Amino acid sequence: MASGKVVVAAGFVIFRRIEAEIQYLLLQTSYGEHHWTPPKVTCMTWLHFVSPGHVDPGESEFETALRETEEESGLTADKLKIYKDFEKILHYEVRGKPKKFLQVTLSHEHIKYEWLKLGDALKYVMKYPDFQEVLNDADKYIHKQIPVGDHKS
């Protein structure tokens, strides 16, 4: 990992359950390689992970996740059920700078979104094995800890 200041980002892994099927929200960026990512920041329903939304001075990682999720997807806190007992932290680099990765109306930063089953979501992010791990861990958590009907679609 390159030396330098670590930039902290936060977000949510957003999911919905349609009957027994769990689907994850991924957004396609409007820049670079048009990669797929969760609403910047990461929370899964609280994960320090998902696409990086930068933490502003005086703002907690959780507050950043909420702000970035609304800015990038139009989803507000009152539309989400946040499971704070699931948290994941990723460390990665973007443009040679280390990032600490702690989450629909698209912002200018994205051109498309999809709700995907786990297998399809894993294919969309195949270039990012750390994010694949987060999705797999989130899926295990959801199946084990969140009963059918205990979520917001």
Side-chain angles (χ1 to χ4, degrees):
M1 183 178 280
S3 63
K5 181 180 176 186
V6 173
V7 177
V8 178
F12 292 104
V13 173
I14 307 292
F15 74 95
R16 67 181 181 184
R17 185 177 271 150
I18 306 293
E19 296 182 15
E21 182 178 275
I22 296 168
Q23 299 175 341
Y24 298 90
L25 177 63
L26 293 181
L27 308 176
Q28 187 176 24
T29 62
S30 60
Y31 55 86
E33 297 178 7
H34 302 294
H35 62 282
W36 290 86
T37 180
K40 290 286 193 288
V41 287
T42 295
C43 279
M44 152 161 152
T45 358
W46 178 240
L47 291 154
H48 294 280
F49 104 83
V50 185
S51 315
H54 295 85
V55 176
D56 290 340
E59 185 177 57
S60 72
E61 292 164 347
F62 185 76
E63 291 167 332
T64 299
L66 289 171
R67 175 180 53 77
E68 287 286 338
T69 298
E70 182 174 356
E71 287 176 4
E72 296 196 4
S73 69
L75 298 173
T76 56
D78 62 316
K79 303 285 189 240
L80 304 172
K81 181 166 186 175
I82 299 169
Y83 300 89
K84 292 184 180 181
D85 59 337
F86 181 84
E87 183 176 315
K88 190 84 172 174
I89 298 175
L90 302 181
H91 299 271
Y92 64 97
E93 290 186 14
V94 173
R95 294 184 209 120
K97 291 185 176 181
K99 295 221 178 199
K100 177 182 166 189
F101 209 112
L102 293 189
Q103 126 245 209
V104 178
T105 302
L106 297 177
S107 73
H108 69 282
E109 295 180 3
H110 298 93
I111 58 175
K112 189 175 179 182
Y113 76 91
E114 301 252 356
W115 287 99
L116 302 163
K117 293 186 277 185
L118 178 64
D120 293 329
L122 292 172
K123 290 175 190 172
Y124 276 51
V125 297
M126 67 186 339
K127 290 173 62 176
Y128 308 101
D130 53 350
F131 185 57
Q132 288 182 317
E133 180 183 340
V134 169
L135 285 174
N136 279 312
D137 289 350
D139 195 70
K140 288 175 192 169
Y141 171 86
I142 292 165
H143 280 93
K144 183 177 179 183
Q145 301 293 332
I146 303 172
V148 173
D150 184 28
H151 67 286
K152 292 183 180 182
S153 296

